[in-house]
């Protein structure tokens, strides 16, 4: 427990967390501070590009082996499994209807790439290495949860299941964030260390600064979401936003231990399994489930789970992974 508290205190005083807090506080206080949408989009593209390329270069250095394949398979399986758990937990903890419960579940079965990056930064500060291919695992966990949400509606909501058409599949698989992340990853694999050497000054040194500004914007968005969702989030839903990440992290812990990942890799698997999407999945939900309430799924994923993971969750997952792996 002392280790978790120490890690949490250290994490809370890191620049990336403090910039998120600044944005959140400014939004709650109704400051006119804002980040232009075009700038926010550019920062998002930069982060996805840098994450994907560095991960691909890491895989090129690591090589294709059993550990990588097992990690990818585990990531896909978890992305199919976790939303089912989230759906039925929501049905117990809240009064959400089938459609909204499935939409929320899809967010928790997918991943938050920014939480993944924040976790990677914490590992780096702690001096812990991790498998470079974990970004590939992150990419593999983006889409399956959306398909599970549609299956849950087809199974539990009569007349709601005719949604898995070619247009929807195109929307899911060609979502901009997925295309850039996967494409950058593949380019990193192809070019390897030589490619990294050529653009390292662009994707390594500025990365932390761009991440701070991006999290400032995320804080602003999260604060606005909480302000506008008064009366929507019940105590049961708020509790779900904290309990579900903890449950998801245990799935990631089990996967990391079974595969035999390093303490850093196991921590990242826990972070991926505990995070909730607020980029790729909301875009797909607008097409697949337009009747689902964005105030519920966006506020839960971005306004509750994201800050929880950023401030307390990551230190908890790191401490548990270290204890479980002996690292």
């Amino acid at each position: 427990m002392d280790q978790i508290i120490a890690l949490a205190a250290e994490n809370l005083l890191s620049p990336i967390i403090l910039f998120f807090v600044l944005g959140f506080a400014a939004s709650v206080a109704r400051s006119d501070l804002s980040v232009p949408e075009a700038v926010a989009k550019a920062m998002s593209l930069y982060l996805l590009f840098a994450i994907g390329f560095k991960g691909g270069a890491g895989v090129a250095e690591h090589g294709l082996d059993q550990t990588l394949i097992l990690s990818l398979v585990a990531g896909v399986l978890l992305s199919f499994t976790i939303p089912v758990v989230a759906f039925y937990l929501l049905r117990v903890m809240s009064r959400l209807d089938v459609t909204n419960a499935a939409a929320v579940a899809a967010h928790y079965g997918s991943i938050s790439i920014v939480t993944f990056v924040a976790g990677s930064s914490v590992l780096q500060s702690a001096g812990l290495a991790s498998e470079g291919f974990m970004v590939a695992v992150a990419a593999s966990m983006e889409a399956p949860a959306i398909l599970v949400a549609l299956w849950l509606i087809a199974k539990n909501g009569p007349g709601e299941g005719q949604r898995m058409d070619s247009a929807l599949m195109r929307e899911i698989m060609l979502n901009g964030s997925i295309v850039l992340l996967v494409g950058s990853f593949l380019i990193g694999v192809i070019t390897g260390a030589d490619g990294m050497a050529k653009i390292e000054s662009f994707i390594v040194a500025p990365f932390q600064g761009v991440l701070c500004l991006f999290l400032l914007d995320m804080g602003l968005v999260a604060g606005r979401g909480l302000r506008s969702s008064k009366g929507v989030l019940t105590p049961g839903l708020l509790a779900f936003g904290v309990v579900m990440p903890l449950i998801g992290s245990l799935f990631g812990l089990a996967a990391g231990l079974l595969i035999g990942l390093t303490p850093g890799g196991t921590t990242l698997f826990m972070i991926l399994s505990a995070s909730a999407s607020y980029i790729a999945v909301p875009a797909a939900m607008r097409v697949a489930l337009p009747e689902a309430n964005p105030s519920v799924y966006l506020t839960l994923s971005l306004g509750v789970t994201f800050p929880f993971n950023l401030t307390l969750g990551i230190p908890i997952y790191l401490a548990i992974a270290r204890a479980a792996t002996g690292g």
Side-chain angles (χ1 to χ4, degrees):
M1 180 58 71
D2 290 340
Q3 184 186 21
I4 293 176
I5 294 173
L7 284 168
E10 183 180 348
N11 198 35
L12 285 169
L13 294 177
S14 67
I16 58 174
I17 305 299
L18 292 176
F19 272 100
F20 177 85
V21 173
L22 173 62
F24 185 85
S27 180
V28 171
R30 300 182 185 276
S31 166
D32 63 355
L33 176 64
S34 64
V35 176
E37 185 176 349
V39 175
K41 179 68 173 176
M43 290 191 295
S44 177
L45 292 174
Y46 169 83
L47 292 174
L48 289 168
F49 157 67
I51 295 160
F53 191 91
K54 286 191 288 187
V59 169
E61 182 179 356
H62 181 273
L64 183 65
D65 61 11
Q66 182 180 3
T67 304
L68 170 58
I69 294 171
L70 288 176
S71 297
L72 290 172
V73 171
V76 172
L77 290 177
L78 287 180
S79 192
F80 277 113
T81 303
I82 291 175
V84 176
V85 175
F87 176 81
Y88 287 106
L89 185 61
L90 274 168
R91 299 289 281 168
V92 171
M93 297 182 67
S94 73
R95 296 181 179 179
L96 286 184
D97 57 61
V98 169
T99 299
N100 278 296
V104 172
H107 288 71
Y108 284 81
S110 187
I111 58 101
S112 161
I113 198 66
V114 179
T115 308
F116 175 81
V117 175
S120 300
S121 298
V122 171
L123 290 180
Q124 187 176 4
S125 299
L128 275 182
S130 61
E131 288 78 1
F133 58 70
M134 287 305 296
V135 69
V137 178
S140 73
M141 295 176 72
E142 284 273 21
I146 301 170
L147 304 180
V148 174
L150 303 181
W151 174 78
L152 285 167
I153 290 178
K155 181 175 182 291
N156 295 279
E160 297 282 354
Q162 306 301 317
R163 300 179 186 276
M164 207 171 298
D165 55 18
S166 59
L168 174 59
M169 290 302 298
R170 178 181 175 84
E171 175 75 17
I172 294 171
M173 301 311 298
L174 293 183
N175 178 275
S177 61
I178 296 177
V179 170
L180 181 56
L181 183 64
V182 174
S184 300
F185 173 82
L186 292 176
I187 293 171
V189 171
I190 293 169
T191 59
D194 291 339
M196 173 60 79
K198 291 177 180 177
I199 62 172
E200 186 173 10
S201 60
F202 177 68
I203 67 173
V204 176
F207 188 86
Q208 291 291 328
V210 175
L211 181 59
C212 286
L213 288 176
F214 185 79
L215 283 172
L216 172 69
D217 183 52
M218 288 294 97
L220 292 167
V221 174
R224 288 194 294 267
L226 282 179
R227 285 208 328 259
S228 64
S229 64
K230 291 179 180 179
V232 175
L233 296 182
T234 63
L237 281 175
L238 289 172
F240 172 86
V242 174
V243 171
M244 190 60 217
L246 296 172
I247 294 173
S249 72
L250 296 179
F251 283 91
L253 174 64
L257 293 176
L258 288 173
I259 296 168
L261 298 180
T262 61
T266 301
T267 302
L268 290 181
F269 228 134
M270 294 177 72
I271 290 170
L272 288 173
S273 301
S275 63
S277 173
Y278 51 82
I279 299 175
V281 176
M285 289 299 103
R286 284 199 297 268
V287 176
L289 301 175
E291 65 271 35
N293 187 351
S295 296
V296 176
Y297 57 70
L298 272 179
T299 306
L300 270 179
S301 62
L302 184 56
V304 180
T305 298
F306 180 64
F308 168 76
N309 276 330
L310 217 57
T311 54
L312 297 176
I314 292 174
I316 291 172
Y317 310 145
L318 175 55
I320 293 174
R322 275 178 155 170
T325 59

